[in-house]
Amino acid sequence: MMLTPAHHFRDIERKPEYLQPEKCVPPPYPGPAGAMWFIRDGCGIACAIVTWFLVLYAEFVVLFVMLIPSRDYAYSIVNGILFNLLAFLALASHCRAMLTDPGAVPKGNATKEFIESLQLKPGQVVYKCPKCCSIKPDRAHHCSVCKRCIRKMDHHCPWVNNCVGENNQKYFVLFTMYIALISLHALIMVGFHFLRCFEEDWTTYGLMRKGGAEAQISLREKRGPLKISSAECSSFSPPTTVILLILLCFEGLLFFIFTSVMFGTQVHSICTDETGIEQLKKEERRWAKKTKWMNMKAVFGHPFSLGWASPFATPDQGKADPYQYVV
């Protein structure tokens, strides 16, 4: 059978001399336990800032253009609480996905002492990453942006400025879900706002702009409630309001489609227990097959509870098995 370049590379890794443990030195100043994880990548930081800006822009338009000026207090209160709750959960999920260690393998652990501690038996194989000098566990891949090997790495997402891996996949799934929900909610509110205000207020505004002073006085006399209608639709002028709503509509539609697709692919990846990289590379399955429900609990925690939907609940995934380095 002809070996592919990938097979050839893995075959080289099987040779003891390839590991060269004497050339791997652990970092001189290892980070303290519990230290915050943050990737210093310019593109990722910019994308994360843009993400927050877009959510805050949606907050501004929903509150100050649509809800606060409205005279329907029940409508404003219910939609305001719902939208702000979803936006808060979306941003909290974004922070957890960005600041949680995705499952980085200790850098420079391919030392002689560590290899001896694995107590390898004849015929057992370990793999070394030549880029970060680490012994790679099964299903780990190296990220060129994080500059680390990541357990069960799915992909590197610039929008959260982090890899999506074993420890933060739950938060990334929640982030895509809540962004899709607030996008859909914003689109629905924009639609209702256009229907309620376009004919009542903005058509009259256009007539007043075209007419002279007499027409303006006449319209004001005939339609006394005009000021109330204008204040109810928006505290901004109709042209400004239309521009703000169109921008929000475009943002909501774009991110609703994007995050819905990402949410669906992530849930499918979890249920099939196959990461995005493994699907892309069509890697041979070397791990035990489990049910979809067990795969979901492995990511979101045991047992099923409201904590699955909370970015503040850390899933209990158990301790890492030291023998997962061995093949």
Side-chain angles (χ1 to χ4, degrees):
M1 180 181 69
M2 183 177 293
L3 294 178
T4 63
H7 284 119
H8 180 66
F9 182 72
R10 293 179 70 85
D11 195 51
I12 292 176
E13 289 179 330
R14 292 174 183 269
K15 298 180 179 179
E17 61 269 18
Y18 178 81
L19 292 176
Q20 298 179 328
E22 66 279 357
K23 293 187 178 182
C24 288
V25 180
Y29 301 103
M36 185 180 69
W37 174 274
F38 183 75
I39 301 301
R40 295 174 177 82
D41 174 58
C43 177
I45 294 173
C47 288
I49 293 174
V50 169
T51 300
W52 275 68
F53 171 79
L54 292 174
V55 174
L56 294 178
Y57 171 78
E59 278 274 358
F60 169 78
V61 176
V62 168
L63 291 179
F64 294 100
V65 177
M66 292 189 287
L67 295 183
I68 292 179
S70 176
R71 299 274 178 172
D72 189 342
Y73 298 118
Y75 174 85
S76 298
I77 291 173
V78 171
N79 283 282
I81 292 175
L82 179 60
F83 187 86
N84 279 279
L85 176 63
L86 293 175
F88 172 75
L89 290 173
L91 294 178
S93 300
H94 182 269
C95 285
R96 291 301 302 269
M98 179 171 61
L99 302 178
T100 299
D101 180 350
V105 179
K107 196 172 184 179
N109 70 346
T111 60
K112 183 178 180 181
E113 293 76 15
F114 181 77
I115 295 173
E116 290 177 350
S117 69
L118 295 177
Q119 299 178 350
L120 299 178
K121 298 178 182 179
Q124 289 183 322
V125 178
V126 293
Y127 298 110
K128 169 194 168 186
C129 175
K131 298 177 181 178
C132 61
C133 207
S134 300
I135 298 297
K136 294 173 64 173
D138 194 25
R139 306 185 69 184
H141 294 84
H142 185 85
C143 175
S144 58
V145 179
C146 297
K147 296 180 175 58
R148 299 285 290 274
C149 284
I150 307 297
R151 302 175 191 270
K152 291 185 68 175
M153 175 182 170
D154 187 87
H155 69 288
H156 183 92
C157 179
W159 296 105
V160 297
N161 187 35
N162 201 0
C163 276
V164 178
E166 184 177 68
N167 295 342
N168 68 342
Q169 189 173 25
K170 170 192 172 179
Y171 309 125
F172 181 76
V173 172
L174 292 181
F175 169 66
T176 58
M177 182 183 74
Y178 288 126
I179 290 293
L181 289 176
I182 64 172
S183 299
L184 178 61
H185 190 197
L187 288 172
I188 293 173
M189 286 192 290
V190 168
F192 277 119
H193 199 79
F194 268 115
L195 290 175
R196 187 175 72 247
C197 298
F198 183 75
E199 291 186 358
E200 287 185 11
D201 184 42
W202 299 340
T203 303
T204 306
Y205 178 86
L207 292 173
M208 292 175 62
R209 296 278 294 178
K210 291 180 181 179
E214 294 182 1
Q216 292 183 28
I217 294 172
S218 177
L219 283 170
R220 285 172 183 168
E221 290 175 351
K222 292 179 180 179
R223 298 190 62 177
L226 175 61
K227 291 184 179 179
I228 297 176
S229 176
S230 176
E232 183 178 349
C233 284
S234 176
S235 55
F236 299 91
S237 65
T240 303
T241 302
V242 170
I243 292 174
L244 292 173
L245 291 178
I246 288 177
L247 289 176
L248 177 61
C249 191
F250 177 77
E251 175 193 341
L253 184 62
L254 179 65
F255 280 93
F256 173 70
I257 295 173
F258 177 70
T259 54
S260 296
V261 172
M262 286 300 301
F263 175 77
T265 56
Q266 285 296 302
V267 171
H268 177 265
S269 175
I270 293 171
C271 290
T272 58
D273 193 20
E274 193 174 20
T275 66
I277 290 182
E278 290 165 350
Q279 294 175 15
L280 186 64
K281 293 184 175 181
K282 298 181 179 179
E283 293 187 0
E284 180 184 357
R285 192 181 188 97
R286 303 180 304 277
W287 53 94
K289 189 174 182 179
K290 296 180 289 186
T291 64
K292 295 179 181 179
W293 185 244
M294 288 297 296
N295 291 330
M296 291 290 288
K297 290 197 291 186
V299 172
F300 291 93
H302 302 266
F304 172 76
S305 65
L306 288 177
W308 281 28
S310 171
F312 303 103
T314 302
D316 181 16
Q317 297 171 325
K319 297 181 179 180
D321 181 4
Y323 292 98
Q324 65 183 325
Y325 291 92
V326 180
V327 178

